[in-house]
Amino acid sequence: MTAYPPGQAPGQNPQVARAAQDATSSRSFVATWLFAWLLGVLGVDRFYLGKVGTGILKLLTVGGFGIWWLVDLVLTLTNSARDIDGRRVLGTRQEQTIAWIVTAAVTLFGWVMSAVTQSFSFLTDQVLPTLPWV
């Protein structure tokens, strides 16, 4: 039975394995995701990845008027975010799945709460004044 070096799969070229390891960033996927999601309009995710110039632009344009914020969030969630050296910020499959679920759940909760708030606003502004006992 052949023993493989740690981190090397059977049939994988050692130079390819080393290059793949060197191509990944030391920055955290979870931190990048949280910065992109919660503070992305301020460019904090860009500053964290070492991209100071685009971080300042993102800060001055309030996340590119929301579009740049959304693009960076999707790039992070799809594991495509890169640091200043062009290395990917890789997270585990579990971290990525949890990030997708939490982002989707909070977004859905926000939409539901917005609909409930609008319904109560409509009720108090339009329906209640027409009731004879009010």
Side-chain angles (χ1 to χ4, degrees):
M1 185 166 238
T2 306
Y4 296 98
Q8 182 180 340
Q12 188 177 23
N13 186 333
Q15 285 107 1
V16 171
R18 196 173 315 109
Q21 188 176 17
D22 291 342
T24 59
S25 177
S26 62
R27 291 179 169 86
S28 166
F29 169 81
V30 174
T32 305
W33 164 61
L34 288 173
F35 286 146
W37 186 34
L38 302 174
L39 300 170
V41 294
L42 302 175
V44 174
D45 56 325
R46 291 283 175 147
F47 289 116
Y48 176 70
L49 294 174
K51 301 176 178 181
V52 176
T54 55
I56 292 171
L57 285 174
K58 197 171 174 184
L59 174 65
L60 294 176
T61 62
V62 190
F65 306 108
I67 297 169
W68 200 352
W69 167 80
L70 184 61
V71 168
D72 277 352
L73 179 62
V74 170
L75 284 174
T76 302
L77 286 172
T78 58
N79 242 351
S80 300
R82 296 180 182 271
D83 66 5
I84 188 71
D85 299 322
R87 296 176 301 190
R88 287 180 131 186
V89 178
L90 292 179
T92 64
R93 176 71 79 187
Q94 183 179 12
E95 290 172 343
Q96 192 178 4
T97 303
I98 290 170
W100 273 106
I101 291 170
V102 169
T103 304
V106 170
T107 302
L108 184 62
F109 179 74
W111 288 343
V112 168
M113 291 309 296
S114 176
V116 168
T117 302
Q118 291 296 318
S119 298
F120 280 120
S121 174
F122 175 78
L123 181 67
T124 57
D125 293 344
Q126 302 293 325
V127 177
L128 287 179
T130 63
L131 297 175
W133 60 85
V134 177

